[in-house]
Amino acid sequence: MKTDGNCFWRAVSYQLFQTERHHATIRGSVVSHMNENKSQYEKYIDENFESHMEKMKNTKGGSEIWATEAEIKATAQYLGINILVNQTTGDSEHWQNFECSQTADVDIHIYHRHQHFEPMIQTQKSSKCRSQDKQRKSNLEKMSQMDRAKQTKSNRPAEDTNNISHPKNNVRPKYTDNAQ
């Protein structure tokens, strides 16, 4: 994962689509969701909510745009998935679970080391795991449509986002020790 302040979004994109390419779309959609649901997320933000959200729109890079607990919670809610983060602090390691409030049948696993997120990569694809959650499918389709519109403008072929594999089955770490 590139260390440009978008590593969390890149890790989520990679887990869902096997490419980092959708990170900006996911980020923008989650930021909009947070703005629309301010009362649900402002308690997790230490600074002025509007100021924080303005920074979160930035995909150009910088430490002020790193995903916080608020963005991770919002991503789980918005996409209808569970996000499990493996965190190392000093010599201790623990998992932090950000659950969707609905029933989610997709879990994604992400490492968080030295202020940098990396996806845990699956070793084989599972074709049987597709979300039954209508909100998640709707949100992913909206993001896919936005990406297709961008690709049409640049004459690049659209990526197939219907082949979303479930990362829960067989995972192995893909971790580089690049601090942000």
Side-chain angles (χ1 to χ4, degrees), residues 86-105:
N86 182 276
Q87 174 92 28
T88 300
T89 308
D91 292 335
S92 71
E93 181 177 305
H94 66 277
W95 284 93
Q96 196 169 2
N97 190 4
F98 297 89
E99 293 183 341
C100 174
S101 62
Q102 306 166 42
T103 301
D105 65 349

Side-chain angles (χ1 to χ4, degrees), residues 142-157:
K142 286 178 197 173
M143 291 187 319
S144 179
Q145 288 171 358
M146 291 169 60
D147 279 352
R148 285 189 194 113
K150 288 178 187 176
Q151 290 165 358
T152 302
K153 290 179 183 176
S154 64
N155 292 326
R156 293 191 327 217

Side-chain angles (χ1 to χ4, degrees), residues 2 4 13 50 56 63-64 100 115-116 125 132 140 146 157 162-163 169-170 172:
K2 197 172 179 180
D4 63 352
S13 177
E50 286 75 19
M56 291 311 297
S63 62
E64 72 279 359
C100 174
Q115 299 179 330
H116 183 67
K125 292 183 178 181
Q132 300 301 310
L140 291 175
M146 291 169 60
N162 294 322
N163 189 16
N169 294 327
N170 291 306
R172 65 177 170 76

Side-chain angles (χ1 to χ4, degrees), residues 43-102:
K43 61 187 166 197
Y44 300 107
I45 297 172
D46 293 333
E47 64 181 310
N48 174 276
F49 183 83
E50 286 75 19
S51 173
H52 179 82
M53 297 315 298
E54 195 59 38
K55 290 176 192 173
M56 291 311 297
K57 290 179 187 176
N58 177 5
T59 60
K60 303 285 189 225
S63 62
E64 72 279 359
I65 64 165
W66 293 347
T68 67
E69 184 177 340
E71 284 76 34
I72 299 171
K73 286 178 182 290
T75 301
Q77 283 302 115
Y78 180 74
L79 295 177
I81 61 176
N82 296 323
I83 301 174
L84 291 89
V85 178
N86 182 276
Q87 174 92 28
T88 300
T89 308
D91 292 335
S92 71
E93 181 177 305
H94 66 277
W95 284 93
Q96 196 169 2
N97 190 4
F98 297 89
E99 293 183 341
C100 174
S101 62
Q102 306 166 42

